[in-house]
Amino acid sequence: MQLRLLCLLVLSCFFSKSYAESYPEVVFDNSLVKGSYARSFVDYSGQSWVENVHRNLLVSDSLYFTPGNALSLKYISNDNGDWNVNIRYSRQKFLYRVSSNDVLTLKVYVGSAETSQKLLPSISIQQGMNQTISLSLGDYIEDYNLNTWLNVRIPVKDFAGFNPEKLISGIILRQQNGSPAVHQLFLDQIEFLPEKYSTAALTSSAVLSKATAYGKHIDLQWQVPLSPNIRYVKVYRSLDNKEFTPVAIRPTYMLRYLDFVPTLDKKYYYKIAWVDYDYRESPFSDVKEVESKAISENQLLDLVELAHVNYFVENFDINSGMYTPFRMKEKATVSVRETGSALLSLLVGVEKGFISKPLFISRVKRVVEFLGKAQNNKGFYPAFFDGRKGLPEYLNEPPKYDVQATTSIIEALLIVRQYLKGDSPEEANLRSEITKLWDRVDWTAAAMADDPLVLKSAIGMIDGYIKKDPLTGINTGLNSYMLAVASKKYSIPAVAFSNALAYTYKPLKTTSTIQNPTDSVQQVDSVQHVGIKEFGSMRRNEADSIIKVSSQFDTVMYAVKVPFGPINSSLLELYRPFLTINPSLAKVGGYQLKQIAENYTQVVKRRDNEIGVGTTNSDIWGFYQHFNSEGNYRMNPAISISSIFLDQARAKRSINALYNLYSETLFSEYGFRSWMDLRSDDVSDEYLAMNQASVAIMLENVRSGLIWKLYQGIPEIQAAEQRIFKK
């Protein structure tokens, strides 16, 4: 079975700026998990009450405004009590700001006969620790009726205390007027919309291009016309081609939907409609018929690769071609580091036939042109740019140029250069422009002033003061050392690569005062002391001075010997060098890096299985705690899947377990979501570029060696590996 994307890049390239944006203004549209909504929090006191499960609102999957569910709010507002419900803004796109000219809209269904307008709750906007004044929902409903969906529109400017400079945390519903009766509301599509938008009727029929079955997933693809009044695509499914039920709604920037069906060997029928801002639908598309069939192991791996590649097909800035980690109305922030991962993933898509090579070249060309004009310091880029203006975005960080982010994009472009071997002028010009970007990176400028074997994590805007964290250990830093050794114009000694593994750096507490900005190297108790550059008369603290010490810390954990002590980060950081560096070749300074990675993987898997993560299936592992929060047992599917380069059988068991047990909520048209929490019955509604890229690239590396072979074929890398790796 051959998987192909429907020229998505061509369509995306013609989108206007508004169509290139995602919809971070939506506070709630659907709960991914049935039963209760984990992003809500219920609190009540006295003789008041709100129905809840583990302090979360219940979810209705039988009554909703948009498929597939709505929030259920059942409450008693007693005069001798109080209640409130917080519906959190959960999007990963956390930098969204609401304008004072926007309108808060939501759909409300009143399902209890005793509920009059005055007995509806009040509503306020939460911004961090601050809350606006509460307004009565009933005051903003015209033509109040029971048992029908009502439209609530509240101008944001009516919320006294609202600050347009503050980020949105969520909305709060509160008890208003007292009543001993039980009231029942259903809430859906809570969002902030512009005050005015196009209201032109949708007269053209929608177009459903393709429907393809992959096991219990049906891959639907469509084309969206350039119409500013189309906001969503609504998907309908039928078992008999007569009665159709809405099953999903998708924003227009998404050009596909992966529908989960309950039964194999059965025919399903699909049609779609465009939906405008007032949720009026266009005429339906033609119906597509498809039959779900079981898929082989290779077909499942193809599906997983396609979905993870598709994440990067649809998430990019139209102006720069760069990857967008989150969206804001006033700008398009793009990530340098993650654009590198995006390009490698898209290259996998080209090789697998998911996207066409000309479209890939067009995307690469846009990225190269953007970087060629972008602000840099000695060839190094900041971690983020404004994709529209080409200006650095420091996101409340000191102005600096990120060595690892630059490594990621340069490394990917070199692999693309190796891939584009055609004789066409376009490919030849791209190779030349990539080489220019590569040659201007001065790796010696990223080395400690008095220790050229140590790379810093960043350099200052104008060689000014910034904290200089040395790059050490098995992580992205190794990729930086490889490029620094491989550079033809600004190389560092090959021994720096092995030193990055052999040594680490720890803070040294000191109260000494320095007067001038200098990098100093001192001998302290026979250990090399590297002082960090400072300006003026400044007191050093623990972060200002570092001591170089051996990284060797042999220990045994879960009956496995590991050389560097406990692991303090995600396994994906440890796996990152091997997206490009063939682990079978990585033998340096007495270390066999593939074996070290395998040992740490065994430790993590045994640890995860022992502590328990809400399942007795030992193939479900890859635990991490989000922001070290207590009580969360979140599983990152990308961890166990990406370990495939170490143990194929183990990783494939994890893929099968994750897909067969949890794919209905965990797997989508963008691949596996960033986490699931089996103990709290919660799943992320977002994705992480590092996760999606790691899965797509590692799977293809194991299946064909694509990225490994291209990386080894780069002449400069070949020469560097010969100097670094021991046979």
Side-chain angles (χ1 to χ4, degrees), residues 19 198-203 227-232 275-277 280:
Y19 275 74
S198 175
T199 57
L202 298 173
T203 57
S227 177
N229 54 330
I230 300 178
R231 178 167 169 80
Y232 287 112
V275 180
D276 67 13
Y277 279 79
R280 297 172 302 183

Side-chain angles (χ1 to χ4, degrees), residues 4-9 11 209 221-223 255-256 354:
R4 289 189 177 275
L5 282 174
L6 176 71
C7 297
L8 297 182
L9 290 177
L11 293 170
S209 305
Q221 301 174 44
W222 53 74
Q223 301 176 34
L255 301 179
R256 70 190 312 137
F354 302 159

Side-chain angles (χ1 to χ4, degrees), residues 217-414:
H217 275 103
I218 309 299
D219 182 32
L220 304 174
Q221 301 174 44
W222 53 74
Q223 301 176 34
V224 181
L226 297 178
S227 177
N229 54 330
I230 300 178
R231 178 167 169 80
Y232 287 112
V233 178
K234 195 170 184 179
V235 180
Y236 289 82
R237 184 211 300 156
S238 173
L239 296 176
D240 57 8
N241 200 18
K242 295 178 181 178
E243 294 185 10
F244 283 83
T245 302
V247 293
I249 193 166
R250 286 292 185 267
T252 53
Y253 72 91
M254 297 178 67
L255 301 179
R256 70 190 312 137
Y257 168 60
L258 210 57
D259 184 40
F260 181 86
V261 295
T263 308
L264 290 173
D265 300 315
K266 193 175 186 66
K267 288 185 179 181
Y268 295 92
Y269 303 87
Y270 289 91
K271 63 182 180 180
I272 63 173
W274 311 140
V275 180
D276 67 13
Y277 279 79
D278 291 320
Y279 293 92
R280 297 172 302 183
E281 298 181 19
S282 72
F284 289 118
S285 68
D286 292 336
V287 174
K288 296 289 184 183
E289 175 186 323
V290 63
E291 185 174 359
S292 59
K293 293 288 186 182
I295 54 177
S296 66
E297 178 182 277
N298 279 333
Q299 290 170 333
L300 174 58
L301 295 181
D302 281 347
L303 174 61
V304 173
E305 280 191 40
L306 174 139
H308 286 78
V309 168
N310 185 52
Y311 174 73
F312 296 104
V313 171
E314 295 185 355
N315 287 277
F316 74 102
D317 169 53
I318 192 68
N319 303 285
S320 63
M322 305 274 283
Y323 167 79
T324 51
F326 44 77
R327 302 285 186 172
M328 294 181 284
K329 288 191 296 185
E330 66 273 16
K331 64 180 67 173
T333 301
V334 298
S335 168
V336 173
R337 181 197 297 248
E338 292 164 331
T339 297
S341 300
L343 291 179
L344 294 182
S345 301
L346 290 171
L347 198 156
V348 169
V350 174
E351 196 66 11
K352 297 291 292 183
F354 302 159
I355 58 178
S356 73
K357 188 174 180 180
L359 297 179
F360 171 69
I361 290 175
S362 175
R363 176 86 160 261
V364 173
K365 182 179 179 182
R366 193 168 301 187
V367 170
V368 170
E369 289 176 349
F370 177 82
L371 293 175
K373 301 173 183 177
Q375 186 171 310
N376 67 90
N377 187 2
K378 296 180 172 61
F380 292 97
Y381 301 107
F384 301 96
F385 280 103
D386 181 333
R388 295 173 184 166
K389 298 179 180 179
L391 298 176
E393 286 287 325
Y394 299 110
L395 304 183
N396 298 322
E397 292 277 330
K400 61 183 179 181
Y401 294 80
D402 193 298
V403 172
Q404 289 168 292
T406 302
T407 295
S408 177
I409 190 65
I410 294 298
E411 182 181 57
L413 288 174
L414 287 176

